[in-house]
């Protein structure tokens, strides 16, 4: 009985180790093929999400709930409506839904920071919202149509010379 349990435990450990190794070796994320302009638009929005999130954290650390709201607002649905129309046709429905739901979270964070002024609540909402950053980054990568035609050059750019 005891021995069987040991064997099963060992099997489980080796299976999960093998899975982790495979995941690290191969990029299994779904590839989105975008034009250079579309990619640049998505990545610009991403950098705004990162710096906005940083600003919200800094405001939280200073107990400045008015600034939390001010920094969260531009990351809300307003951000999405600005330019997402021309991306809707090229991005998968699931991708758009995840993005929209994240923007909604930031609207909620802005509204609650204003009305409830509860830093702990904001922190909880922010960490919940950020599971969407993590989920989407785990699922997708972007490739541009121009990179497709120059695979060698793209590789060399990432190469670091040793001196
Ligand atoms: C709906 C999908 C989705 C969500 C949600 C999402 N991202 Fe991204 N993000 C992407 C994709 C796709 C890339 C490009 C990844 C790649 O090609 O390897 C990216 C790239 C980035 C980059 C790199 C930008 C650059 O200039 O290279 C940053 C920073 C980033 N995301 C931050 C965030 C943060 C912070 C959040 C949450 C607050 C978030 N993202 C939520 C899809 C998403």
């Amino acid at each position: 009985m005891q021995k069987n349990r040991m064997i099963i435990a060992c099997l489980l450990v080796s299976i999960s180790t093998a899975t982790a190794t495979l995941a690290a070796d191969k990029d299994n994320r779904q590839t989105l093929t975008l034009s250079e302009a579309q990619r640049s638009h998505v990545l610009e929005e991403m950098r705004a999400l990162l710096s906005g999130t940083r600003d919200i954290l800094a405001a939280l650390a200073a107990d400045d709930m008015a600034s939390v709201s001010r920094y969260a607002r531009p990351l809300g649905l307003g951000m999405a409506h600005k330019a997402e129309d021309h991306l809707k046709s090229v991005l998968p429905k699931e991708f758009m839904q995840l993005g929209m739901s994240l923007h909604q979270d930031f609207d909620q964070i802005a509204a609650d920071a204003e009305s409830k002024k509860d830093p702990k609540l904001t922190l909880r909402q922010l960490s919940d919202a950020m599971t969407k950053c993590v989920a989407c980054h785990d699922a997708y990568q972007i490739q541009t149509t121009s990179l497709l035609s120059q695979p060698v050059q793209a590789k060399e750019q990432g190469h670091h010379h040793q001196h």
Side-chain angles (χ1 to χ4, degrees), residues 27 29-30 32 34 39-40 42-51 53 75 91 94-100 102-103 106 126 129-137 139-143:
D27 194 338
R29 295 175 302 167
Q30 186 181 330
L32 308 171
L34 303 181
R39 168 176 178 270
S40 141
V42 171
L43 293 184
E44 198 178 308
E45 183 172 313
M46 289 301 150
R47 294 192 297 275
L49 283 171
L50 180 60
S51 68
T53 303
L75 309 183
L91 292 171
E94 297 76 21
F95 185 97
M96 292 300 298
Q97 280 170 347
L98 201 50
M100 289 302 164
L102 177 67
H103 289 307
F106 278 112
L126 192 59
M130 288 190 83
T131 61
K132 290 169 191 169
C133 320
V134 175
C136 194
H137 293 156
Y140 300 99
Q141 61 184 313
I142 298 175
Q143 190 177 50

mmCIF file of all heavy atoms in Angstrom, residues 27 29-30 32 34 39-40 42-51 53 75 91 94-100 102-103 106 126 129-137 139-143, ligand 1:
data_model
loop_
_atom_site.group_PDB
_atom_site.id
_atom_site.type_symbol
_atom_site.label_atom_id
_atom_site.label_comp_id
_atom_site.label_asym_id
_atom_site.label_seq_id
_atom_site.Cartn_x
_atom_site.Cartn_y
_atom_site.Cartn_z
ATOM 1 N N ASP A 27 7.602 27.492 -27.820
ATOM 2 C CA ASP A 27 6.640 28.571 -27.697
ATOM 3 C C ASP A 27 5.310 28.103 -28.273
ATOM 4 O O ASP A 27 5.130 28.050 -29.475
ATOM 5 C CB ASP A 27 7.145 29.795 -28.459
ATOM 6 C CG ASP A 27 6.362 31.046 -28.089
ATOM 7 O OD1 ASP A 27 5.218 30.901 -27.606
ATOM 8 O OD2 ASP A 27 6.893 32.151 -28.259
ATOM 9 N N ARG A 29 2.425 29.493 -27.822
ATOM 10 C CA ARG A 29 1.400 30.533 -27.902
ATOM 11 C C ARG A 29 0.877 30.675 -29.332
ATOM 12 O O ARG A 29 1.634 30.565 -30.295
ATOM 13 C CB ARG A 29 1.970 31.870 -27.430
ATOM 14 C CG ARG A 29 2.364 31.884 -25.962
ATOM 15 C CD ARG A 29 3.042 33.189 -25.596
ATOM 16 N NE ARG A 29 4.243 33.420 -26.420
ATOM 17 C CZ ARG A 29 4.879 34.577 -26.484
ATOM 18 N NH1 ARG A 29 4.450 35.596 -25.778
ATOM 19 N NH2 ARG A 29 5.942 34.712 -27.243
ATOM 20 N N GLN A 30 -0.420 30.933 -29.407
ATOM 21 C CA GLN A 30 -1.039 31.150 -30.711
ATOM 22 C C GLN A 30 -0.452 32.411 -31.354
ATOM 23 O O GLN A 30 -0.259 33.421 -30.677
ATOM 24 C CB GLN A 30 -2.548 31.316 -30.517
ATOM 25 C CG GLN A 30 -3.327 31.408 -31.812
ATOM 26 C CD GLN A 30 -4.807 31.603 -31.543
ATOM 27 O OE1 GLN A 30 -5.337 31.140 -30.518
ATOM 28 N NE2 GLN A 30 -5.489 32.291 -32.427
ATOM 29 N N LEU A 32 -0.553 35.651 -33.696
ATOM 30 C CA LEU A 32 -1.430 36.605 -34.385
ATOM 31 C C LEU A 32 -0.581 37.293 -35.439
ATOM 32 O O LEU A 32 0.458 37.855 -35.121
ATOM 33 C CB LEU A 32 -1.954 37.650 -33.399
ATOM 34 C CG LEU A 32 -2.610 37.133 -32.121
ATOM 35 C CD1 LEU A 32 -2.873 38.281 -31.163
ATOM 36 C CD2 LEU A 32 -3.897 36.404 -32.459
ATOM 37 N N LEU A 34 -0.114 40.305 -37.755
ATOM 38 C CA LEU A 34 -0.616 41.672 -37.925
ATOM 39 C C LEU A 34 0.304 42.456 -38.855
ATOM 40 O O LEU A 34 1.459 42.074 -39.058
ATOM 41 C CB LEU A 34 -0.659 42.385 -36.560
ATOM 42 C CG LEU A 34 -1.464 41.743 -35.434
ATOM 43 C CD1 LEU A 34 -1.391 42.610 -34.190
ATOM 44 C CD2 LEU A 34 -2.912 41.529 -35.847
ATOM 45 N N ARG A 39 0.527 46.005 -35.226
ATOM 46 C CA ARG A 39 1.363 45.509 -34.129
ATOM 47 C C ARG A 39 1.806 46.689 -33.265
ATOM 48 O O ARG A 39 1.745 46.635 -32.035
ATOM 49 C CB ARG A 39 2.586 44.779 -34.683
ATOM 50 C CG ARG A 39 3.643 44.480 -33.647
ATOM 51 C CD ARG A 39 4.788 43.676 -34.249
ATOM 52 N NE ARG A 39 5.836 43.429 -33.283
ATOM 53 C CZ ARG A 39 6.878 44.238 -33.093
ATOM 54 N NH1 ARG A 39 6.999 45.342 -33.804
ATOM 55 N NH2 ARG A 39 7.798 43.940 -32.186
ATOM 56 N N SER A 40 2.230 47.736 -33.919
ATOM 57 C CA SER A 40 2.729 48.888 -33.193
ATOM 58 C C SER A 40 1.610 49.511 -32.352
ATOM 59 O O SER A 40 1.838 49.959 -31.226
ATOM 60 C CB SER A 40 3.356 49.844 -34.204
ATOM 61 O OG SER A 40 3.096 51.147 -33.905
ATOM 62 N N VAL A 42 -1.021 47.833 -31.034
ATOM 63 C CA VAL A 42 -1.274 46.934 -29.897
ATOM 64 C C VAL A 42 -0.181 47.116 -28.835
ATOM 65 O O VAL A 42 -0.464 47.262 -27.648
ATOM 66 C CB VAL A 42 -1.343 45.453 -30.354
ATOM 67 C CG1 VAL A 42 -1.372 44.514 -29.154
ATOM 68 C CG2 VAL A 42 -2.563 45.219 -31.238
ATOM 69 N N LEU A 43 1.094 47.143 -29.284
ATOM 70 C CA LEU A 43 2.190 47.226 -28.319
ATOM 71 C C LEU A 43 2.215 48.575 -27.603
ATOM 72 O O LEU A 43 2.550 48.658 -26.419
ATOM 73 C CB LEU A 43 3.531 46.947 -29.007
ATOM 74 C CG LEU A 43 3.712 45.512 -29.519
ATOM 75 C CD1 LEU A 43 5.104 45.310 -30.098
ATOM 76 C CD2 LEU A 43 3.433 44.482 -28.420
ATOM 77 N N GLU A 44 1.815 49.625 -28.316
ATOM 78 C CA GLU A 44 1.743 50.952 -27.689
ATOM 79 C C GLU A 44 0.701 50.924 -26.558
ATOM 80 O O GLU A 44 0.927 51.447 -25.470
ATOM 81 C CB GLU A 44 1.349 51.975 -28.751
ATOM 82 C CG GLU A 44 1.644 53.398 -28.370
ATOM 83 C CD GLU A 44 1.264 54.352 -29.500
ATOM 84 O OE1 GLU A 44 1.706 54.120 -30.649
ATOM 85 O OE2 GLU A 44 0.509 55.296 -29.244
ATOM 86 N N GLU A 45 -0.437 50.284 -26.839
ATOM 87 C CA GLU A 45 -1.476 50.163 -25.826
ATOM 88 C C GLU A 45 -0.965 49.343 -24.640
ATOM 89 O O GLU A 45 -1.239 49.658 -23.483
ATOM 90 C CB GLU A 45 -2.720 49.507 -26.449
ATOM 91 C CG GLU A 45 -3.875 49.416 -25.470
ATOM 92 C CD GLU A 45 -5.174 48.939 -26.128
ATOM 93 O OE1 GLU A 45 -5.529 49.461 -27.194
ATOM 94 O OE2 GLU A 45 -5.812 48.035 -25.550
ATOM 95 N N MET A 46 -0.180 48.317 -24.937
ATOM 96 C CA MET A 46 0.385 47.470 -23.878
ATOM 97 C C MET A 46 1.291 48.273 -22.959
ATOM 98 O O MET A 46 1.234 48.157 -21.737
ATOM 99 C CB MET A 46 1.193 46.322 -24.498
ATOM 100 C CG MET A 46 0.346 45.282 -25.167
ATOM 101 S SD MET A 46 -0.794 44.577 -23.983
ATOM 102 C CE MET A 46 -2.141 44.182 -25.056
ATOM 103 N N ARG A 47 2.138 49.103 -23.567
ATOM 104 C CA ARG A 47 3.061 49.896 -22.747
ATOM 105 C C ARG A 47 2.298 50.906 -21.900
ATOM 106 O O ARG A 47 2.695 51.198 -20.773
ATOM 107 C CB ARG A 47 4.115 50.581 -23.643
ATOM 108 C CG ARG A 47 5.050 49.570 -24.320
ATOM 109 C CD ARG A 47 6.256 50.245 -24.958
ATOM 110 N NE ARG A 47 5.898 51.168 -26.031
ATOM 111 C CZ ARG A 47 5.696 50.812 -27.303
ATOM 112 N NH1 ARG A 47 5.818 49.547 -27.671
ATOM 113 N NH2 ARG A 47 5.383 51.716 -28.204
ATOM 114 N N ALA A 48 1.179 51.412 -22.440
ATOM 115 C CA ALA A 48 0.333 52.324 -21.655
ATOM 116 C C ALA A 48 -0.287 51.567 -20.477
ATOM 117 O O ALA A 48 -0.399 52.113 -19.370
ATOM 118 C CB ALA A 48 -0.740 52.934 -22.542
ATOM 119 N N LEU A 49 -0.665 50.303 -20.710
ATOM 120 C CA LEU A 49 -1.233 49.493 -19.620
ATOM 121 C C LEU A 49 -0.193 49.279 -18.523
ATOM 122 O O LEU A 49 -0.494 49.370 -17.331
ATOM 123 C CB LEU A 49 -1.707 48.134 -20.149
ATOM 124 C CG LEU A 49 -3.039 48.104 -20.906
ATOM 125 C CD1 LEU A 49 -3.261 46.744 -21.541
ATOM 126 C CD2 LEU A 49 -4.192 48.443 -19.954
ATOM 127 N N LEU A 50 1.043 48.999 -18.931
ATOM 128 C CA LEU A 50 2.099 48.751 -17.947
ATOM 129 C C LEU A 50 2.417 50.018 -17.148
ATOM 130 O O LEU A 50 2.465 49.991 -15.916
ATOM 131 C CB LEU A 50 3.373 48.239 -18.642
ATOM 132 C CG LEU A 50 4.561 47.951 -17.721
ATOM 133 C CD1 LEU A 50 4.223 46.891 -16.683
ATOM 134 C CD2 LEU A 50 5.790 47.532 -18.528
ATOM 135 N N SER A 51 2.595 51.152 -17.843
ATOM 136 C CA SER A 51 2.968 52.361 -17.102
ATOM 137 C C SER A 51 1.786 52.864 -16.272
ATOM 138 O O SER A 51 1.979 53.364 -15.162
ATOM 139 C CB SER A 51 3.521 53.432 -18.050
ATOM 140 O OG SER A 51 2.513 53.910 -18.885
ATOM 141 N N THR A 53 -0.481 50.956 -14.862
ATOM 142 C CA THR A 53 -0.544 50.071 -13.698
ATOM 143 C C THR A 53 0.506 50.475 -12.662
ATOM 144 O O THR A 53 0.246 50.511 -11.465
ATOM 145 C CB THR A 53 -0.329 48.612 -14.140
ATOM 146 O OG1 THR A 53 -1.314 48.276 -15.113
ATOM 147 C CG2 THR A 53 -0.466 47.660 -12.966
ATOM 148 N N LEU A 75 -7.225 53.851 -18.805
ATOM 149 C CA LEU A 75 -7.029 52.443 -19.188
ATOM 150 C C LEU A 75 -8.374 51.736 -19.359
ATOM 151 O O LEU A 75 -8.422 50.544 -19.663
ATOM 152 C CB LEU A 75 -6.191 51.705 -18.123
ATOM 153 C CG LEU A 75 -4.870 52.373 -17.703
ATOM 154 C CD1 LEU A 75 -4.126 51.480 -16.699
ATOM 155 C CD2 LEU A 75 -3.976 52.644 -18.906
ATOM 156 N N LEU A 91 -8.240 40.562 -35.081
ATOM 157 C CA LEU A 91 -7.919 39.864 -33.828
ATOM 158 C C LEU A 91 -9.029 38.858 -33.491
ATOM 159 O O LEU A 91 -10.202 39.126 -33.722
ATOM 160 C CB LEU A 91 -7.751 40.872 -32.690
ATOM 161 C CG LEU A 91 -6.530 41.785 -32.808
ATOM 162 C CD1 LEU A 91 -6.568 42.880 -31.755
ATOM 163 C CD2 LEU A 91 -5.239 40.986 -32.703
ATOM 164 N N GLU A 94 -11.882 35.899 -28.874
ATOM 165 C CA GLU A 94 -11.480 35.654 -27.478
ATOM 166 C C GLU A 94 -10.486 36.718 -27.017
ATOM 167 O O GLU A 94 -10.514 37.158 -25.876
ATOM 168 C CB GLU A 94 -10.843 34.273 -27.314
ATOM 169 C CG GLU A 94 -11.754 33.100 -27.611
ATOM 170 C CD GLU A 94 -11.970 32.873 -29.098
ATOM 171 O OE1 GLU A 94 -11.132 33.334 -29.914
ATOM 172 O OE2 GLU A 94 -12.993 32.248 -29.455
ATOM 173 N N PHE A 95 -9.585 37.093 -27.928
ATOM 174 C CA PHE A 95 -8.581 38.116 -27.620
ATOM 175 C C PHE A 95 -9.272 39.449 -27.318
ATOM 176 O O PHE A 95 -8.991 40.100 -26.311
ATOM 177 C CB PHE A 95 -7.626 38.258 -28.814
ATOM 178 C CG PHE A 95 -6.468 39.192 -28.588
ATOM 179 C CD1 PHE A 95 -5.224 38.702 -28.196
ATOM 180 C CD2 PHE A 95 -6.602 40.564 -28.773
ATOM 181 C CE1 PHE A 95 -4.152 39.562 -27.997
ATOM 182 C CE2 PHE A 95 -5.538 41.421 -28.563
ATOM 183 C CZ PHE A 95 -4.303 40.916 -28.179
ATOM 184 N N MET A 96 -10.209 39.830 -28.192
ATOM 185 C CA MET A 96 -10.937 41.084 -28.012
ATOM 186 C C MET A 96 -11.731 41.073 -26.703
ATOM 187 O O MET A 96 -11.743 42.062 -25.971
ATOM 188 C CB MET A 96 -11.904 41.314 -29.180
ATOM 189 C CG MET A 96 -11.231 41.593 -30.517
ATOM 190 S SD MET A 96 -10.177 43.052 -30.497
ATOM 191 C CE MET A 96 -11.379 44.337 -30.138
ATOM 192 N N GLN A 97 -12.374 39.934 -26.403
ATOM 193 C CA GLN A 97 -13.191 39.845 -25.185
ATOM 194 C C GLN A 97 -12.344 39.998 -23.926
ATOM 195 O O GLN A 97 -12.723 40.699 -22.984
ATOM 196 C CB GLN A 97 -13.941 38.510 -25.151
ATOM 197 C CG GLN A 97 -15.191 38.532 -26.027
ATOM 198 C CD GLN A 97 -15.813 37.167 -26.200
ATOM 199 O OE1 GLN A 97 -15.190 36.143 -25.873
ATOM 200 N NE2 GLN A 97 -17.017 37.132 -26.737
ATOM 201 N N LEU A 98 -11.178 39.352 -23.939
ATOM 202 C CA LEU A 98 -10.274 39.436 -22.788
ATOM 203 C C LEU A 98 -9.820 40.889 -22.608
ATOM 204 O O LEU A 98 -9.795 41.420 -21.495
ATOM 205 C CB LEU A 98 -9.074 38.509 -23.034
ATOM 206 C CG LEU A 98 -8.263 38.043 -21.843
ATOM 207 C CD1 LEU A 98 -9.139 37.478 -20.744
ATOM 208 C CD2 LEU A 98 -7.226 37.009 -22.287
ATOM 209 N N GLY A 99 -9.488 41.529 -23.725
ATOM 210 C CA GLY A 99 -9.053 42.925 -23.687
ATOM 211 C C GLY A 99 -10.158 43.840 -23.163
ATOM 212 O O GLY A 99 -9.924 44.674 -22.290
ATOM 213 N N MET A 100 -11.374 43.672 -23.689
ATOM 214 C CA MET A 100 -12.504 44.508 -23.273
ATOM 215 C C MET A 100 -12.794 44.324 -21.786
ATOM 216 O O MET A 100 -13.057 45.286 -21.063
ATOM 217 C CB MET A 100 -13.768 44.153 -24.074
ATOM 218 C CG MET A 100 -13.716 44.589 -25.512
ATOM 219 S SD MET A 100 -13.466 46.373 -25.633
ATOM 220 C CE MET A 100 -12.957 46.520 -27.326
ATOM 221 N N LEU A 102 -10.728 43.498 -19.506
ATOM 222 C CA LEU A 102 -9.675 44.183 -18.747
ATOM 223 C C LEU A 102 -9.954 45.692 -18.672
ATOM 224 O O LEU A 102 -9.822 46.303 -17.609
ATOM 225 C CB LEU A 102 -8.308 43.920 -19.383
ATOM 226 C CG LEU A 102 -7.120 44.629 -18.723
ATOM 227 C CD1 LEU A 102 -6.877 44.085 -17.317
ATOM 228 C CD2 LEU A 102 -5.859 44.479 -19.566
ATOM 229 N N HIS A 103 -10.351 46.280 -19.810
ATOM 230 C CA HIS A 103 -10.663 47.714 -19.811
ATOM 231 C C HIS A 103 -11.826 48.016 -18.859
ATOM 232 O O HIS A 103 -11.831 49.024 -18.163
ATOM 233 C CB HIS A 103 -11.004 48.185 -21.229
ATOM 234 C CG HIS A 103 -9.811 48.218 -22.148
ATOM 235 N ND1 HIS A 103 -8.643 48.886 -21.838
ATOM 236 C CD2 HIS A 103 -9.590 47.661 -23.355
ATOM 237 C CE1 HIS A 103 -7.769 48.742 -22.824
ATOM 238 N NE2 HIS A 103 -8.318 47.991 -23.764
ATOM 239 N N PHE A 106 -10.634 48.288 -15.335
ATOM 240 C CA PHE A 106 -9.994 49.558 -14.991
ATOM 241 C C PHE A 106 -11.040 50.658 -14.776
ATOM 242 O O PHE A 106 -10.861 51.527 -13.919
ATOM 243 C CB PHE A 106 -8.969 49.962 -16.054
ATOM 244 C CG PHE A 106 -7.634 49.276 -15.862
ATOM 245 C CD1 PHE A 106 -7.187 48.339 -16.774
ATOM 246 C CD2 PHE A 106 -6.847 49.556 -14.749
ATOM 247 C CE1 PHE A 106 -5.961 47.692 -16.593
ATOM 248 C CE2 PHE A 106 -5.624 48.909 -14.551
ATOM 249 C CZ PHE A 106 -5.177 47.981 -15.481
ATOM 250 N N LEU A 126 -6.980 45.165 -8.700
ATOM 251 C CA LEU A 126 -5.858 45.258 -9.630
ATOM 252 C C LEU A 126 -5.208 43.889 -9.840
ATOM 253 O O LEU A 126 -4.893 43.507 -10.965
ATOM 254 C CB LEU A 126 -4.836 46.271 -9.101
ATOM 255 C CG LEU A 126 -3.741 46.711 -10.066
ATOM 256 C CD1 LEU A 126 -4.341 47.359 -11.318
ATOM 257 C CD2 LEU A 126 -2.788 47.699 -9.392
ATOM 258 N N ALA A 129 -7.488 41.882 -11.972
ATOM 259 C CA ALA A 129 -7.436 42.340 -13.365
ATOM 260 C C ALA A 129 -6.162 41.827 -14.039
ATOM 261 O O ALA A 129 -6.171 41.429 -15.203
ATOM 262 C CB ALA A 129 -7.502 43.861 -13.422
ATOM 263 N N MET A 130 -5.057 41.813 -13.285
ATOM 264 C CA MET A 130 -3.782 41.424 -13.889
ATOM 265 C C MET A 130 -3.691 39.935 -14.213
ATOM 266 O O MET A 130 -2.815 39.530 -14.982
ATOM 267 C CB MET A 130 -2.618 41.889 -13.008
ATOM 268 C CG MET A 130 -2.440 43.407 -13.087
ATOM 269 S SD MET A 130 -0.935 44.005 -12.302
ATOM 270 C CE MET A 130 0.253 43.726 -13.627
ATOM 271 N N THR A 131 -4.612 39.129 -13.672
ATOM 272 C CA THR A 131 -4.628 37.727 -14.121
ATOM 273 C C THR A 131 -4.984 37.693 -15.619
ATOM 274 O O THR A 131 -4.616 36.757 -16.321
ATOM 275 C CB THR A 131 -5.647 36.869 -13.341
ATOM 276 O OG1 THR A 131 -6.957 37.390 -13.550
ATOM 277 C CG2 THR A 131 -5.328 36.812 -11.866
ATOM 278 N N LYS A 132 -5.660 38.740 -16.111
ATOM 279 C CA LYS A 132 -5.993 38.803 -17.539
ATOM 280 C C LYS A 132 -4.766 39.141 -18.381
ATOM 281 O O LYS A 132 -4.640 38.662 -19.508
ATOM 282 C CB LYS A 132 -7.133 39.790 -17.785
ATOM 283 C CG LYS A 132 -8.443 39.259 -17.230
ATOM 284 C CD LYS A 132 -9.568 40.254 -17.192
ATOM 285 C CE LYS A 132 -10.722 39.677 -16.381
ATOM 286 N NZ LYS A 132 -11.751 40.671 -16.065
ATOM 287 N N CYS A 133 -3.866 39.992 -17.858
ATOM 288 C CA CYS A 133 -2.591 40.239 -18.556
ATOM 289 C C CYS A 133 -1.864 38.898 -18.701
ATOM 290 O O CYS A 133 -1.395 38.551 -19.787
ATOM 291 C CB CYS A 133 -1.664 41.183 -17.783
ATOM 292 S SG CYS A 133 -2.386 42.599 -16.940
ATOM 293 N N VAL A 134 -1.779 38.187 -17.581
ATOM 294 C CA VAL A 134 -1.028 36.937 -17.557
ATOM 295 C C VAL A 134 -1.642 35.909 -18.514
ATOM 296 O O VAL A 134 -0.937 35.286 -19.320
ATOM 297 C CB VAL A 134 -0.986 36.366 -16.117
ATOM 298 C CG1 VAL A 134 -0.313 35.006 -16.090
ATOM 299 C CG2 VAL A 134 -0.278 37.332 -15.178
ATOM 300 N N ALA A 135 -2.983 35.770 -18.452
ATOM 301 C CA ALA A 135 -3.662 34.772 -19.281
ATOM 302 C C ALA A 135 -3.453 35.060 -20.765
ATOM 303 O O ALA A 135 -3.157 34.159 -21.557
ATOM 304 C CB ALA A 135 -5.154 34.757 -18.962
ATOM 305 N N CYS A 136 -3.581 36.330 -21.141
ATOM 306 C CA CYS A 136 -3.459 36.663 -22.555
ATOM 307 C C CYS A 136 -2.023 36.475 -23.038
ATOM 308 O O CYS A 136 -1.785 35.970 -24.125
ATOM 309 C CB CYS A 136 -3.940 38.082 -22.825
ATOM 310 S SG CYS A 136 -4.195 38.397 -24.580
ATOM 311 N N HIS A 137 -1.060 36.892 -22.213
ATOM 312 C CA HIS A 137 0.349 36.733 -22.609
ATOM 313 C C HIS A 137 0.740 35.266 -22.709
ATOM 314 O O HIS A 137 1.599 34.905 -23.502
ATOM 315 C CB HIS A 137 1.260 37.466 -21.629
ATOM 316 C CG HIS A 137 1.094 38.954 -21.668
ATOM 317 N ND1 HIS A 137 1.404 39.776 -20.616
ATOM 318 C CD2 HIS A 137 0.617 39.769 -22.645
ATOM 319 C CE1 HIS A 137 1.136 41.026 -20.930
ATOM 320 N NE2 HIS A 137 0.650 41.056 -22.162
ATOM 321 N N ALA A 139 -1.210 33.055 -23.847
ATOM 322 C CA ALA A 139 -1.936 32.451 -24.969
ATOM 323 C C ALA A 139 -1.500 32.963 -26.345
ATOM 324 O O ALA A 139 -1.596 32.239 -27.326
ATOM 325 C CB ALA A 139 -3.436 32.684 -24.784
ATOM 326 N N TYR A 140 -1.016 34.208 -26.436
ATOM 327 C CA TYR A 140 -0.792 34.804 -27.763
ATOM 328 C C TYR A 140 0.591 35.417 -27.927
ATOM 329 O O TYR A 140 1.182 35.916 -26.976
ATOM 330 C CB TYR A 140 -1.816 35.910 -28.032
ATOM 331 C CG TYR A 140 -3.246 35.463 -28.014
ATOM 332 C CD1 TYR A 140 -4.032 35.656 -26.882
ATOM 333 C CD2 TYR A 140 -3.810 34.848 -29.118
ATOM 334 C CE1 TYR A 140 -5.361 35.258 -26.862
ATOM 335 C CE2 TYR A 140 -5.136 34.438 -29.108
ATOM 336 C CZ TYR A 140 -5.904 34.640 -27.975
ATOM 337 O OH TYR A 140 -7.207 34.249 -27.952
ATOM 338 N N GLN A 141 1.059 35.407 -29.166
ATOM 339 C CA GLN A 141 2.228 36.185 -29.555
ATOM 340 C C GLN A 141 1.901 36.870 -30.880
ATOM 341 O O GLN A 141 1.016 36.439 -31.608
ATOM 342 C CB GLN A 141 3.450 35.293 -29.708
ATOM 343 C CG GLN A 141 3.284 34.217 -30.775
ATOM 344 C CD GLN A 141 4.471 33.277 -30.833
ATOM 345 O OE1 GLN A 141 5.608 33.720 -30.850
ATOM 346 N NE2 GLN A 141 4.187 31.976 -30.843
ATOM 347 N N ILE A 142 2.628 37.954 -31.164
ATOM 348 C CA ILE A 142 2.364 38.707 -32.396
ATOM 349 C C ILE A 142 3.513 38.514 -33.377
ATOM 350 O O ILE A 142 4.680 38.539 -32.998
ATOM 351 C CB ILE A 142 2.215 40.214 -32.104
ATOM 352 C CG1 ILE A 142 1.016 40.440 -31.187
ATOM 353 C CG2 ILE A 142 2.032 40.998 -33.399
ATOM 354 C CD1 ILE A 142 0.864 41.881 -30.744
ATOM 355 N N GLN A 143 3.117 38.317 -34.627
ATOM 356 C CA GLN A 143 4.094 38.232 -35.699
ATOM 357 C C GLN A 143 3.660 39.249 -36.742
ATOM 358 O O GLN A 143 2.473 39.448 -36.932
ATOM 359 C CB GLN A 143 4.004 36.824 -36.282
ATOM 360 C CG GLN A 143 5.084 36.470 -37.246
ATOM 361 C CD GLN A 143 4.925 35.027 -37.703
ATOM 362 O OE1 GLN A 143 3.849 34.608 -38.112
ATOM 363 N NE2 GLN A 143 5.992 34.266 -37.624
HETATM 364 C C1 LIG B 1 -6.071 40.401 -24.740
HETATM 365 C C2 LIG B 1 -4.677 40.101 -24.661
HETATM 366 C C3 LIG B 1 -3.751 40.890 -23.771
HETATM 367 C C4 LIG B 1 -4.018 41.426 -22.540
HETATM 368 C C5 LIG B 1 -5.297 41.360 -21.729
HETATM 369 C C6 LIG B 1 -2.803 42.090 -22.129
HETATM 370 N N1 LIG B 1 -1.830 41.948 -23.071
HETATM 371 FE FE1 LIG B 1 0.038 42.756 -23.033
HETATM 372 N N2 LIG B 1 0.496 41.868 -24.806
HETATM 373 C C7 LIG B 1 -0.365 41.058 -25.521
HETATM 374 C C8 LIG B 1 0.345 40.519 -26.683
HETATM 375 C C9 LIG B 1 -0.236 39.571 -27.720
HETATM 376 C C10 LIG B 1 1.660 41.039 -26.639
HETATM 377 C C11 LIG B 1 2.803 40.735 -27.602
HETATM 378 C C12 LIG B 1 3.482 39.454 -27.103
HETATM 379 C C13 LIG B 1 4.464 38.853 -28.094
HETATM 380 O O1 LIG B 1 4.341 39.082 -29.307
HETATM 381 O O2 LIG B 1 5.357 38.132 -27.641
HETATM 382 C C14 LIG B 1 1.718 41.903 -25.451
HETATM 383 C C15 LIG B 1 2.828 42.621 -25.057
HETATM 384 C C16 LIG B 1 2.902 43.398 -23.926
HETATM 385 C C17 LIG B 1 4.028 44.209 -23.557
HETATM 386 C C18 LIG B 1 5.297 44.422 -24.370
HETATM 387 C C19 LIG B 1 5.134 45.726 -25.158
HETATM 388 C C20 LIG B 1 6.236 46.003 -26.167
HETATM 389 O O3 LIG B 1 6.421 47.176 -26.501
HETATM 390 O O4 LIG B 1 6.905 45.058 -26.603
HETATM 391 C C21 LIG B 1 3.737 44.769 -22.348
HETATM 392 C C22 LIG B 1 4.629 45.713 -21.528
HETATM 393 C C23 LIG B 1 2.408 44.328 -21.965
HETATM 394 N N3 LIG B 1 1.929 43.504 -22.944
HETATM 395 C C24 LIG B 1 1.768 44.695 -20.786
HETATM 396 C C25 LIG B 1 0.489 44.293 -20.434
HETATM 397 C C26 LIG B 1 -0.141 44.584 -19.159
HETATM 398 C C27 LIG B 1 0.523 45.330 -18.003
HETATM 399 C C28 LIG B 1 -1.382 44.057 -19.203
HETATM 400 C C29 LIG B 1 -2.461 44.067 -18.149
HETATM 401 C C30 LIG B 1 -2.698 45.270 -17.375
HETATM 402 C C31 LIG B 1 -1.530 43.416 -20.509
HETATM 403 N N4 LIG B 1 -0.373 43.599 -21.220
HETATM 404 C C32 LIG B 1 -2.670 42.769 -20.933
HETATM 405 C C33 LIG B 1 -1.681 40.798 -25.235
HETATM 406 C C34 LIG B 1 -2.352 41.197 -24.092
#
